[in-house]
Amino acid sequence: MNGTDARGRGLPKALIAAAGALALALACGLLYGAAWLLIGADGQCDEPKGVERLARISAVAVPPPPAGANPVPGASGAECMDDSGPEVWLSAATYYTYDGGPRAVIDHYWEAAAAAGWKAAGPRPKVTPGFLLKDMCFRKEVDGKPTLLVVAYSARNEYSVSVNAVLDGSRPDC
């Protein structure tokens, strides 16, 4: 066998592999397109249903931050995440700084969330000096769909309070 024969045989294998990959890509694209047409685009962020539900989540009244808290400029907002798996997450968050410490934040939201109809989704979080060790999570039905209120510590006395839901109305986890 000479060098020309080896190259001659290698080329068809490469072409066959490339053609197979192209056929697989086209088949996947056609399957995705067919599923889109059959199932519909329901459950995507940019659809009217997603935009409408996000607006409702953004309007949910949340307990106010503790007295003395300061909003973080430009950090608050709402978003829809449809690229994080099968569930489309909706979230509206407010960020603020607070020098009163995590124990005061826990005490404040534990009482304020309950007064606003939110139910704790777990035990009262513990703190270590200066740090909230676990996010606080509360549940409530909003427009007949399960919704979460999550209070989290990020850093440098900064906290976030977010309202979260899944677009399809399934029960989201804390």
Side-chain angles (χ1 to χ4, degrees):
M1 187 186 291
N2 63 31
T4 306
D5 290 339
R7 279 190 301 243
R9 285 190 214 148
L11 184 60
K13 286 182 183 177
L15 286 176
I16 290 170
L22 180 61
L24 181 60
L26 287 173
C28 289
L30 288 173
L31 181 61
Y32 179 78
W36 185 271
L37 290 172
L38 292 173
I39 299 170
D42 194 12
Q44 301 298 315
C45 289
D46 59 350
E47 291 182 9
K49 181 179 176 185
V51 173
E52 176 185 330
R53 183 79 173 116
L54 184 57
R56 285 186 179 160
I57 292 300
S58 298
V60 171
V62 298
N70 297 305
V72 175
S76 299
E79 65 180 323
C80 180
M81 298 162 281
D82 62 2
D83 61 350
S84 59
E87 297 175 327
V88 177
W89 276 87
L90 307 170
S91 181
T94 301
Y95 293 83
Y96 64 88
T97 58
Y98 179 68
D99 293 329
R103 173 59 55 204
V105 171
I106 291 171
D107 293 344
H108 171 76
Y109 281 105
W110 203 258
E111 293 170 16
W118 295 91
K119 307 283 186 235
R124 194 178 190 122
K126 296 184 184 324
V127 297
T128 189
F131 295 99
L132 175 66
L133 295 178
K134 186 178 176 186
D135 296 348
M136 281 188 290
C137 185
F138 304 90
R139 295 183 187 280
K140 181 178 181 177
E141 294 286 316
V142 174
D143 293 333
K145 299 189 191 266
T147 306
L148 302 177
L149 173 70
V150 179
V151 179
Y153 173 81
S154 57
R156 299 177 312 269
N157 296 333
E158 187 175 298
Y159 297 86
S160 67
V161 179
S162 62
V163 177
N164 306 289
V166 180
L167 185 58
D168 67 6
S170 62
R171 184 181 169 124
D173 291 324
C174 292

